[in-house]
Amino acid sequence: MTYRICLIEGDGIGHEVVPAGRRLLEATGLPLTFVPAEAGWDVFQRTGLALPAETLEAVREADATLFGAVSSPLHAVEGYRSPIIELRRTLDLYANLRPAQSHPVPGSREGIDLLIVRENTEGLYVGRERREGDTAVAERIITRRGSERIARAAFRLAHMRRGHVTIVHKANVLRTTCGLFREAALAVAADFPDVHVEEMLVDVAAMRLITEPERFDVLVTTNLFGDILSDEAAALVGGLGLAPSGNIGEGRAAIFEPVHGSAPDIAGRGIANPLATFLAVAMLLDHLGEAEVAMRVRYAVGHTLRSRVVTPDLGGEATTHKVTEAVIAALG
Ligand code: NAI
Ligand code: MG
């Protein structure tokens, strides 16, 4: 059997890290076919579409997709919506998995092994914003179904890990929306008697991630909170250059990507750190059921970090190419 992998470079350093990810995938020796597809700001400027229909189809039909990053303007542009947000929603990839594990680099704290399970399709990211004169309004959509299924995903994952879930919310202030999320998540907890559950307000969680990150196993939370907490968690273990993520739903389609963006400040210089993408490749391999190959990839990344073959963001002088070569060599 051959796995069909869709590759979306996107913009900026996506053009550097995704080809590196493809080389790593090729080096695993697995039977793979690659389907390149376009999305993002560049293709939008060329064609008026940020997410061409062929791309959506290619992601739908692939066994998994590796996504780089796209650039999004800070101001609203008629007709443009971030294609990764569109993909997550259209394909109902409701679970955004963002692991943070200690790495052997100077900037990483020790003893951290946590997983943020972020709701990926609703919350404040539904795009229902409007201006009423000098007042701006955003709608925050929380549903019982959306909350239950993300909680279920978190409890299942915790069951395979250290068996501990922290439900993160702000139900003391956002009584209706976070209140429903909390209620639904706690109801799901009852189905997992062997998983220890606690709840924590998001501001307290932000603080305790800094003061005692080792205490966390799985954190489950709504879209915006998860977005912010996962960047914070990434900073504890070496930064965005090492942070992978996965977007998963009930179906076969799934998208794996580095957490970082298109990094226009370093794009085109050949110094982007490909390791976040490589760790995303490891998650992709796990999704395909190739756990052993995934483990080899993680080992090779760890070995390369310990050898100090690293890009400037991690204090080294290696290029994207050199790091890629080192990881592929360590894979053998
Ligand atoms: P960013 O993640 O692109 O960059 C933040 C900083 O980290 C920059 O200094 C960058 O050089 C550095 N950095 C990021 N990834 C790196 C890597 N692999 N190796 C070395 N250094 C790295 O975030 P920023 O600057 O806020 O956003 C730039 C663009 O990316 C924006 O248009 C934004 O909308 C987009 N973005 C896209 C995301 C996605 O496609 N999922 C996620 C986050 C931002
Ligand atoms: Mg983010």
Side-chain angles (χ1 to χ4, degrees):
M1 179 202 160
T2 300
Y3 298 116
R4 206 180 151 85
I5 310 295
C6 176
L7 298 174
I8 301 176
E9 295 181 3
D11 300 312
I13 62 169
H15 295 302
E16 299 162 53
V17 296
V18 170
R22 175 183 178 147
R23 291 199 49 218
L24 177 64
L25 277 163
E26 284 168 346
T28 61
L30 288 170
L32 305 165
T33 38
F34 295 101
V35 183
E38 288 191 299
W41 182 243
D42 291 347
V43 66
F44 175 75
Q45 287 190 306
R46 256 195 352 266
T47 68
L49 288 174
L51 182 64
E54 309 89 81
T55 299
L56 187 58
E57 215 34 50
V59 174
R60 230 191 266 280
E61 286 184 355
D63 294 301
T65 294
L66 184 64
F67 184 94
V70 293
S71 302
S72 296
L74 285 178
H75 54 278
V77 172
E78 182 71 29
Y80 185 87
R81 255 184 77 75
S82 166
I84 186 67
I85 295 180
E86 209 64 37
L87 276 166
R88 288 168 183 162
R89 233 160 10 121
T90 311
L91 299 172
D92 207 18
L93 305 178
Y94 63 85
N96 191 328
L97 311 183
R98 297 193 165 190
Q101 264 169 319
S102 299
H103 290 293
V105 293
S108 172
R109 304 253 301 258
E110 277 172 42
I112 299 174
D113 180 7
L114 61 86
L115 174 66
I116 295 179
V117 179
R118 161 191 171 193
E119 204 293 321
N120 221 9
T121 55
E122 47 185 45
L124 267 170
Y125 285 13
V126 291
R128 297 201 203 164
E129 286 194 294
R130 62 182 186 276
R131 274 285 280 272
E132 293 167 2
D134 278 342
T135 302
V137 182
E139 286 182 53
R140 183 170 195 251
I141 307 297
I142 301 288
T143 65
R144 183 178 302 279
R145 170 174 173 268
S147 305
E148 276 178 0
R149 65 182 184 173
I150 194 68
R152 203 164 290 283
F155 278 90
R156 278 200 207 106
L157 288 159
H159 188 73
M160 296 185 280
R161 294 171 48 98
R162 301 198 304 280
H164 189 284
V165 171
T166 308
I167 301 169
V168 177
H169 59 70
K170 188 75 186 179
N172 57 335
V173 177
L174 301 170
R175 288 179 190 281
T176 308
T177 50
C178 270
L180 176 56
F181 178 78
R182 170 179 184 270
E183 180 187 315
L186 285 172
V188 168
D191 293 340
F192 293 84
D194 50 346
V195 174
H196 180 263
V197 60
E198 67 175 344
E199 52 182 315
M200 199 177 283
L201 297 175
V202 63
D203 42 355
V204 180
M207 184 187 69
R208 294 181 81 172
L209 264 178
I210 302 286
T211 55
E212 39 179 340
E214 324 73 29
R215 72 181 295 290
F216 291 102
D217 180 16
V218 174
L219 298 93
V220 62
T221 191
T222 48
N223 208 336
L224 173 64
F225 295 164
D227 192 6
I228 297 170
L229 293 180
S230 57
D231 276 29
E232 184 186 348
L236 295 173
V237 294
L240 285 176
L242 285 169
S245 69
N247 302 275
I248 292 169
E250 302 290 351
R252 183 173 62 134
I255 302 176
F256 300 86
E257 51 166 339
V259 169
H260 64 70
S262 58
D265 53 336
I266 59 161
R269 289 169 50 197
I271 55 165
N273 188 346
L275 295 178
T277 302
F278 293 172
L279 293 169
V281 163
M283 294 178 76
L284 181 154
L285 291 165
D286 273 331
H287 178 74
L288 296 179
E290 298 288 349
E292 200 206 307
V293 189
M295 223 167 65
R296 277 171 56 212
V297 167
R298 291 193 180 96
Y299 171 82
V301 168
H303 179 82
T304 305
L305 287 171
R306 277 186 294 275
S307 313
R308 297 294 300 144
V309 182
V310 291
T311 42
D313 57 304
L314 293 178
E317 287 173 0
T319 58
T320 311
H321 180 75
K322 189 148 185 234
V323 174
T324 306
E325 294 297 314
V327 172
I328 289 174
L331 200 62

Tab-separated table of all heavy atoms in Angstrom, residues 11 13 17 41 67-74 80 82-85 88 98 227 231 240-242 245 257-267 271-277 311-314 320, ligand 1:
chain	number	residue	atom	x	y	z
A	11	ASP	N	3.337	30.017	1.988
A	11	ASP	CA	4.121	31.224	1.715
A	11	ASP	C	5.418	31.223	2.531
A	11	ASP	O	5.587	30.419	3.454
A	11	ASP	CB	3.304	32.469	2.119
A	11	ASP	CG	1.987	32.574	1.359
A	11	ASP	OD1	2.008	32.422	0.128
A	11	ASP	OD2	0.953	32.807	2.024
A	13	ILE	N	8.675	30.921	4.501
A	13	ILE	CA	9.542	29.772	4.775
A	13	ILE	C	8.837	28.435	4.584
A	13	ILE	O	9.472	27.394	4.643
A	13	ILE	CB	10.186	29.826	6.191
A	13	ILE	CG1	9.118	29.786	7.285
A	13	ILE	CG2	11.103	31.026	6.331
A	13	ILE	CD1	9.707	29.568	8.676
A	17	VAL	N	10.681	24.806	4.440
A	17	VAL	CA	10.536	23.712	5.413
A	17	VAL	C	9.720	22.534	4.875
A	17	VAL	O	9.981	21.389	5.254
A	17	VAL	CB	9.964	24.212	6.772
A	17	VAL	CG1	10.936	25.178	7.429
A	17	VAL	CG2	8.591	24.846	6.633
A	41	TRP	N	-1.327	33.402	0.550
A	41	TRP	CA	-1.344	34.792	0.089
A	41	TRP	C	-0.820	34.923	-1.342
A	41	TRP	O	-1.397	35.632	-2.161
A	41	TRP	CB	-0.527	35.626	1.058
A	41	TRP	CG	-0.492	37.083	0.762
A	41	TRP	CD1	0.615	37.831	0.443
A	41	TRP	CD2	-1.598	37.998	0.761
A	41	TRP	NE1	0.257	39.135	0.241
A	41	TRP	CE2	-1.093	39.274	0.433
A	41	TRP	CE3	-2.969	37.857	0.997
A	41	TRP	CZ2	-1.901	40.402	0.332
A	41	TRP	CZ3	-3.782	38.985	0.900
A	41	TRP	CH2	-3.250	40.240	0.575
A	67	PHE	N	1.555	20.747	5.887
A	67	PHE	CA	1.278	22.152	5.567
A	67	PHE	C	2.411	23.008	6.130
A	67	PHE	O	2.849	22.799	7.262
A	67	PHE	CB	-0.060	22.513	6.228
A	67	PHE	CG	-0.572	23.895	5.942
A	67	PHE	CD1	-1.468	24.111	4.905
A	67	PHE	CD2	-0.172	24.967	6.719
A	67	PHE	CE1	-1.951	25.396	4.652
A	67	PHE	CE2	-0.647	26.245	6.469
A	67	PHE	CZ	-1.544	26.462	5.432
A	68	GLY	N	2.883	23.976	5.350
A	68	GLY	CA	3.962	24.861	5.823
A	68	GLY	C	3.405	25.986	6.656
A	68	GLY	O	3.148	25.848	7.849
A	69	ALA	N	3.172	27.119	6.025
A	69	ALA	CA	2.569	28.262	6.702
A	69	ALA	C	2.094	29.224	5.635
A	69	ALA	O	2.604	29.209	4.513
A	69	ALA	CB	3.591	28.960	7.595
A	70	VAL	N	1.118	30.039	5.981
A	70	VAL	CA	0.669	31.052	5.038
A	70	VAL	C	0.770	32.426	5.683
A	70	VAL	O	0.740	32.557	6.904
A	70	VAL	CB	-0.788	30.798	4.586
A	70	VAL	CG1	-0.871	29.527	3.755
A	70	VAL	CG2	-1.722	30.716	5.780
A	71	SER	N	0.908	33.433	4.827
A	71	SER	CA	0.928	34.811	5.316
A	71	SER	C	-0.482	35.355	5.282
A	71	SER	O	-1.214	35.122	4.330
A	71	SER	CB	1.810	35.680	4.405
A	71	SER	OG	3.117	35.168	4.355
A	72	SER	N	-0.869	36.067	6.340
A	72	SER	CA	-2.164	36.742	6.322
A	72	SER	C	-1.943	38.201	6.664
A	72	SER	O	-1.242	38.505	7.632
A	72	SER	CB	-3.117	36.127	7.345
A	72	SER	OG	-3.400	34.789	6.997
A	73	PRO	N	-2.531	39.101	5.874
A	73	PRO	CA	-2.382	40.519	6.179
A	73	PRO	C	-3.066	40.862	7.502
A	73	PRO	O	-4.034	40.187	7.874
A	73	PRO	CB	-3.073	41.208	5.002
A	73	PRO	CG	-4.027	40.193	4.463
A	73	PRO	CD	-3.407	38.856	4.723
A	74	LEU	N	-2.558	41.857	8.200
A	74	LEU	CA	-3.150	42.224	9.495
A	74	LEU	C	-4.472	42.983	9.330
A	74	LEU	O	-5.300	42.999	10.220
A	74	LEU	CB	-2.166	43.070	10.316
A	74	LEU	CG	-1.012	42.273	10.937
A	74	LEU	CD1	-0.070	43.188	11.691
A	74	LEU	CD2	-1.551	41.178	11.872
A	80	TYR	N	-10.233	37.484	1.181
A	80	TYR	CA	-9.162	36.655	1.738
A	80	TYR	C	-9.508	36.182	3.147
A	80	TYR	O	-9.861	36.981	4.018
A	80	TYR	CB	-7.841	37.424	1.803
A	80	TYR	CG	-6.685	36.548	2.258
A	80	TYR	CD1	-5.965	35.800	1.331
A	80	TYR	CD2	-6.338	36.438	3.611
A	80	TYR	CE1	-4.932	34.965	1.733
A	80	TYR	CE2	-5.311	35.605	4.020
A	80	TYR	CZ	-4.614	34.878	3.082
A	80	TYR	OH	-3.586	34.049	3.475
A	82	SER	N	-7.755	33.221	5.948
A	82	SER	CA	-6.611	32.328	6.095
A	82	SER	C	-7.007	30.907	5.684
A	82	SER	O	-7.933	30.323	6.245
A	82	SER	CB	-6.131	32.341	7.536
A	82	SER	OG	-5.244	31.247	7.717
A	83	PRO	N	-6.323	30.330	4.702
A	83	PRO	CA	-6.728	29.004	4.217
A	83	PRO	C	-6.581	27.900	5.249
A	83	PRO	O	-7.326	26.918	5.194
A	83	PRO	CB	-5.795	28.761	3.029
A	83	PRO	CG	-4.728	29.769	3.124
A	83	PRO	CD	-5.231	30.916	3.925
A	84	ILE	N	-5.679	28.052	6.208
A	84	ILE	CA	-5.553	26.975	7.200
A	84	ILE	C	-6.794	26.962	8.097
A	84	ILE	O	-7.330	25.904	8.438
A	84	ILE	CB	-4.227	27.037	8.004
A	84	ILE	CG1	-4.082	25.829	8.914
A	84	ILE	CG2	-4.051	28.313	8.783
A	84	ILE	CD1	-3.910	24.506	8.236
A	85	ILE	N	-7.296	28.149	8.424
A	85	ILE	CA	-8.523	28.222	9.240
A	85	ILE	C	-9.703	27.676	8.434
A	85	ILE	O	-10.535	26.919	8.940
A	85	ILE	CB	-8.760	29.674	9.712
A	85	ILE	CG1	-7.614	30.078	10.661
A	85	ILE	CG2	-10.117	29.822	10.397
A	85	ILE	CD1	-7.683	31.475	11.211
A	88	ARG	N	-9.395	23.814	8.267
A	88	ARG	CA	-9.793	23.192	9.536
A	88	ARG	C	-11.306	23.127	9.636
A	88	ARG	O	-11.874	22.125	10.063
A	88	ARG	CB	-9.252	24.017	10.715
A	88	ARG	CG	-7.755	23.924	10.913
A	88	ARG	CD	-7.294	24.998	11.891
A	88	ARG	NE	-5.845	24.987	12.066
A	88	ARG	CZ	-5.151	26.003	12.572
A	88	ARG	NH1	-5.770	27.113	12.949
A	88	ARG	NH2	-3.849	25.917	12.724
A	98	ARG	N	-1.299	20.045	20.065
A	98	ARG	CA	-0.049	20.788	20.146
A	98	ARG	C	0.808	20.287	21.316
A	98	ARG	O	0.681	20.749	22.445
A	98	ARG	CB	-0.334	22.270	20.289
A	98	ARG	CG	-1.052	22.815	19.069
A	98	ARG	CD	-1.067	24.304	19.052
A	98	ARG	NE	-1.424	24.796	17.730
A	98	ARG	CZ	-1.334	26.061	17.379
A	98	ARG	NH1	-0.901	26.960	18.243
A	98	ARG	NH2	-1.675	26.440	16.171
A	227	ASP	N	-4.769	28.564	21.352
A	227	ASP	CA	-3.804	29.197	20.456
A	227	ASP	C	-2.722	29.893	21.285
A	227	ASP	O	-1.523	29.732	21.050
A	227	ASP	CB	-4.550	30.202	19.561
A	227	ASP	CG	-3.704	30.694	18.396
A	227	ASP	OD1	-2.574	30.188	18.199
A	227	ASP	OD2	-4.174	31.592	17.678
A	231	ASP	N	1.465	28.596	22.156
A	231	ASP	CA	2.690	29.360	21.854
A	231	ASP	C	3.510	29.541	23.132
A	231	ASP	O	4.740	29.479	23.116
A	231	ASP	CB	2.357	30.736	21.267
A	231	ASP	CG	2.117	30.677	19.753
A	231	ASP	OD1	1.665	29.621	19.266
A	231	ASP	OD2	2.375	31.680	19.062
A	240	LEU	N	9.429	28.438	18.684
A	240	LEU	CA	8.586	28.076	17.544
A	240	LEU	C	9.292	27.180	16.534
A	240	LEU	O	8.653	26.417	15.818
A	240	LEU	CB	8.109	29.346	16.830
A	240	LEU	CG	7.009	30.151	17.515
A	240	LEU	CD1	6.720	31.431	16.748
A	240	LEU	CD2	5.743	29.314	17.640
A	241	GLY	N	10.612	27.258	16.489
A	241	GLY	CA	11.364	26.430	15.546
A	241	GLY	C	11.272	24.945	15.857
A	241	GLY	O	11.709	24.102	15.062
A	242	LEU	N	10.691	24.605	17.026
A	242	LEU	CA	10.621	23.199	17.447
A	242	LEU	C	9.192	22.754	17.760
A	242	LEU	O	8.994	21.681	18.321
A	242	LEU	CB	11.473	22.998	18.701
A	242	LEU	CG	12.994	22.972	18.509
A	242	LEU	CD1	13.707	23.037	19.853
A	242	LEU	CD2	13.394	21.718	17.750
A	245	SER	N	2.333	20.676	15.183
A	245	SER	CA	0.919	20.522	15.543
A	245	SER	C	0.207	19.666	14.510
A	245	SER	O	0.683	19.487	13.392
A	245	SER	CB	0.235	21.891	15.648
A	245	SER	OG	0.126	22.481	14.374
A	257	GLU	N	1.390	20.422	10.707
A	257	GLU	CA	2.070	21.673	10.366
A	257	GLU	C	2.927	22.138	11.527
A	257	GLU	O	2.643	21.821	12.680
A	257	GLU	CB	1.034	22.755	10.022
A	257	GLU	CG	-0.043	22.880	11.097
A	257	GLU	CD	-0.910	24.132	10.997
A	257	GLU	OE1	-0.496	25.119	10.382
A	257	GLU	OE2	-1.999	24.130	11.588
A	258	PRO	N	3.978	22.905	11.205
A	258	PRO	CA	4.672	23.585	12.292
A	258	PRO	C	3.741	24.656	12.864
A	258	PRO	O	2.876	25.161	12.141
A	258	PRO	CB	5.871	24.230	11.594
A	258	PRO	CG	5.467	24.369	10.165
A	258	PRO	CD	4.540	23.221	9.888
A	259	VAL	N	3.898	24.995	14.143
A	259	VAL	CA	3.053	26.025	14.751
A	259	VAL	C	3.409	27.411	14.195
A	259	VAL	O	2.554	28.289	14.081
A	259	VAL	CB	3.219	25.995	16.296
A	259	VAL	CG1	2.571	27.206	16.945
A	259	VAL	CG2	2.628	24.702	16.868
A	260	HIS	N	4.653	27.584	13.781
A	260	HIS	CA	5.092	28.919	13.352
A	260	HIS	C	4.414	29.373	12.061
A	260	HIS	O	3.789	28.581	11.351
A	260	HIS	CB	6.609	28.962	13.196
A	260	HIS	CG	7.172	28.054	12.125
A	260	HIS	ND1	6.991	28.283	10.781
A	260	HIS	CD2	7.922	26.923	12.209
A	260	HIS	CE1	7.619	27.348	10.087
A	260	HIS	NE2	8.185	26.494	10.928
A	261	GLY	N	4.590	30.671	11.754
A	261	GLY	CA	4.034	31.236	10.536
A	261	GLY	C	5.046	31.263	9.410
A	261	GLY	O	6.024	30.491	9.411
A	262	SER	N	4.829	32.168	8.458
A	262	SER	CA	5.628	32.190	7.230
A	262	SER	C	6.950	32.927	7.395
A	262	SER	O	7.751	32.976	6.463
A	262	SER	CB	4.804	32.821	6.109
A	262	SER	OG	4.419	34.137	6.490
A	263	ALA	N	7.176	33.528	8.564
A	263	ALA	CA	8.450	34.175	8.918
A	263	ALA	C	9.047	35.013	7.785
A	263	ALA	O	10.150	34.737	7.315
A	263	ALA	CB	9.453	33.139	9.409
A	264	PRO	N	8.324	36.049	7.332
A	264	PRO	CA	8.845	36.850	6.212
A	264	PRO	C	10.212	37.471	6.498
A	264	PRO	O	10.967	37.742	5.568
A	264	PRO	CB	7.765	37.938	6.010
A	264	PRO	CG	6.866	37.859	7.196
A	264	PRO	CD	6.996	36.500	7.784
A	265	ASP	N	10.529	37.660	7.786
A	265	ASP	CA	11.822	38.299	8.116
A	265	ASP	C	13.026	37.429	7.750
A	265	ASP	O	14.127	37.941	7.584
A	265	ASP	CB	11.868	38.702	9.612
A	265	ASP	CG	11.547	37.549	10.561
A	265	ASP	OD1	10.868	36.576	10.147
A	265	ASP	OD2	11.970	37.621	11.728
A	266	ILE	N	12.833	36.122	7.632
A	266	ILE	CA	13.974	35.266	7.278
A	266	ILE	C	13.718	34.450	6.004
A	266	ILE	O	14.573	33.665	5.596
A	266	ILE	CB	14.354	34.299	8.431
A	266	ILE	CG1	13.168	33.387	8.797
A	266	ILE	CG2	14.846	35.054	9.657
A	266	ILE	CD1	13.607	32.137	9.563
A	267	ALA	N	12.559	34.647	5.390
A	267	ALA	CA	12.209	33.822	4.218
A	267	ALA	C	13.204	34.013	3.077
A	267	ALA	O	13.704	35.113	2.848
A	267	ALA	CB	10.800	34.160	3.748
A	271	ILE	N	17.729	29.691	6.072
A	271	ILE	CA	18.105	29.474	7.481
A	271	ILE	C	16.903	29.115	8.360
A	271	ILE	O	17.008	29.087	9.582
A	271	ILE	CB	18.817	30.709	8.088
A	271	ILE	CG1	17.947	31.962	7.921
A	271	ILE	CG2	20.191	30.899	7.439
A	271	ILE	CD1	18.400	33.133	8.793
A	272	ALA	N	15.758	28.856	7.742
A	272	ALA	CA	14.580	28.477	8.540
A	272	ALA	C	14.847	27.142	9.224
A	272	ALA	O	15.398	26.218	8.630
A	272	ALA	CB	13.354	28.371	7.639
A	273	ASN	N	14.437	27.046	10.453
A	273	ASN	CA	14.586	25.804	11.209
A	273	ASN	C	13.537	24.789	10.718
A	273	ASN	O	12.337	25.023	10.852
A	273	ASN	CB	14.368	26.107	12.698
A	273	ASN	CG	14.689	24.926	13.575
A	273	ASN	OD1	14.835	23.810	13.086
A	273	ASN	ND2	14.781	25.170	14.870
A	274	PRO	N	13.962	23.663	10.165
A	274	PRO	CA	12.992	22.691	9.656
A	274	PRO	C	12.496	21.716	10.731
A	274	PRO	O	11.668	20.856	10.455
A	274	PRO	CB	13.812	21.929	8.607
A	274	PRO	CG	15.206	21.934	9.148
A	274	PRO	CD	15.361	23.235	9.912
A	275	LEU	N	13.000	21.836	11.974
A	275	LEU	CA	12.720	20.787	12.966
A	275	LEU	C	11.260	20.754	13.416
A	275	LEU	O	10.718	19.677	13.692
A	275	LEU	CB	13.661	20.918	14.168
A	275	LEU	CG	15.149	20.674	13.842
A	275	LEU	CD1	16.004	20.863	15.087
A	275	LEU	CD2	15.376	19.295	13.243
A	276	ALA	N	10.603	21.925	13.471
A	276	ALA	CA	9.172	21.918	13.823
A	276	ALA	C	8.401	21.122	12.777
A	276	ALA	O	7.499	20.342	13.104
A	276	ALA	CB	8.634	23.346	13.911
A	277	THR	N	8.789	21.312	11.521
A	277	THR	CA	8.153	20.558	10.432
A	277	THR	C	8.478	19.069	10.556
A	277	THR	O	7.610	18.220	10.346
A	277	THR	CB	8.626	21.112	9.071
A	277	THR	OG1	8.301	22.501	9.016
A	277	THR	CG2	7.960	20.389	7.909
A	311	THR	N	20.006	25.717	13.469
A	311	THR	CA	19.861	26.987	12.760
A	311	THR	C	20.029	28.169	13.738
A	311	THR	O	20.024	27.976	14.966
A	311	THR	CB	18.471	27.033	12.082
A	311	THR	OG1	17.507	26.495	12.996
A	311	THR	CG2	18.457	26.216	10.802
A	312	PRO	N	20.164	29.400	13.198
A	312	PRO	CA	20.413	30.570	14.048
A	312	PRO	C	19.382	30.803	15.161
A	312	PRO	O	19.736	31.284	16.245
A	312	PRO	CB	20.409	31.731	13.053
A	312	PRO	CG	20.852	31.119	11.763
A	312	PRO	CD	20.271	29.734	11.757
A	313	ASP	N	18.115	30.453	14.929
A	313	ASP	CA	17.108	30.667	15.984
A	313	ASP	C	17.427	29.858	17.234
A	313	ASP	O	16.984	30.195	18.330
A	313	ASP	CB	15.698	30.322	15.479
A	313	ASP	CG	15.593	28.885	14.974
A	313	ASP	OD1	16.376	28.511	14.075
A	313	ASP	OD2	14.756	28.135	15.500
A	314	LEU	N	18.208	28.784	17.076
A	314	LEU	CA	18.609	27.984	18.250
A	314	LEU	C	20.077	28.244	18.601
A	314	LEU	O	20.710	27.459	19.306
A	314	LEU	CB	18.382	26.490	17.981
A	314	LEU	CG	16.914	26.052	17.840
A	314	LEU	CD1	16.815	24.566	17.537
A	314	LEU	CD2	16.118	26.373	19.112
A	320	THR	N	19.098	25.406	6.711
A	320	THR	CA	17.981	24.452	6.641
A	320	THR	C	18.478	23.140	6.021
A	320	THR	O	18.174	22.045	6.511
A	320	THR	CB	16.845	25.027	5.753
A	320	THR	OG1	16.565	26.359	6.179
A	320	THR	CG2	15.593	24.174	5.816
B	1	NAI	P1	6.125	33.704	12.623
B	1	NAI	O1	5.933	32.429	13.350
B	1	NAI	O2	6.110	33.631	11.153
B	1	NAI	O3	7.507	34.351	13.070
B	1	NAI	C1	7.763	34.790	14.409
B	1	NAI	C2	9.288	34.865	14.634
B	1	NAI	O4	9.809	33.547	14.744
B	1	NAI	C3	10.029	35.527	13.484
B	1	NAI	O5	11.099	36.267	13.990
B	1	NAI	C4	10.525	34.348	12.678
B	1	NAI	O6	11.707	34.620	11.954
B	1	NAI	C5	10.768	33.290	13.741
B	1	NAI	N1	10.534	31.944	13.212
B	1	NAI	C6	9.336	31.355	12.961
B	1	NAI	N2	9.495	30.142	12.460
B	1	NAI	C7	10.824	29.926	12.376
B	1	NAI	C8	11.628	28.843	11.921
B	1	NAI	N3	11.097	27.700	11.432
B	1	NAI	N4	12.968	28.985	11.960
B	1	NAI	C9	13.530	30.093	12.437
B	1	NAI	N5	12.839	31.152	12.897
B	1	NAI	C10	11.483	31.071	12.859
B	1	NAI	O7	4.999	34.702	13.144
B	1	NAI	P2	4.672	36.185	12.663
B	1	NAI	O8	5.906	36.904	12.300
B	1	NAI	O9	3.806	36.731	13.712
B	1	NAI	O10	3.779	36.016	11.364
B	1	NAI	C11	4.288	36.029	10.036
B	1	NAI	C12	3.176	35.606	9.092
B	1	NAI	O11	2.824	34.256	9.335
B	1	NAI	C13	1.894	36.432	9.239
B	1	NAI	O12	1.408	36.722	7.959
B	1	NAI	C14	0.963	35.495	9.989
B	1	NAI	O13	-0.381	35.729	9.673
B	1	NAI	C15	1.416	34.151	9.479
B	1	NAI	N6	1.123	33.024	10.404
B	1	NAI	C16	0.684	31.862	9.813
B	1	NAI	C17	0.456	30.745	10.571
B	1	NAI	C18	0.024	29.511	9.862
B	1	NAI	O14	0.069	29.438	8.637
B	1	NAI	N7	-0.420	28.479	10.566
B	1	NAI	C19	0.658	30.736	12.014
B	1	NAI	C20	1.180	31.978	12.540
B	1	NAI	C21	1.385	33.080	11.739
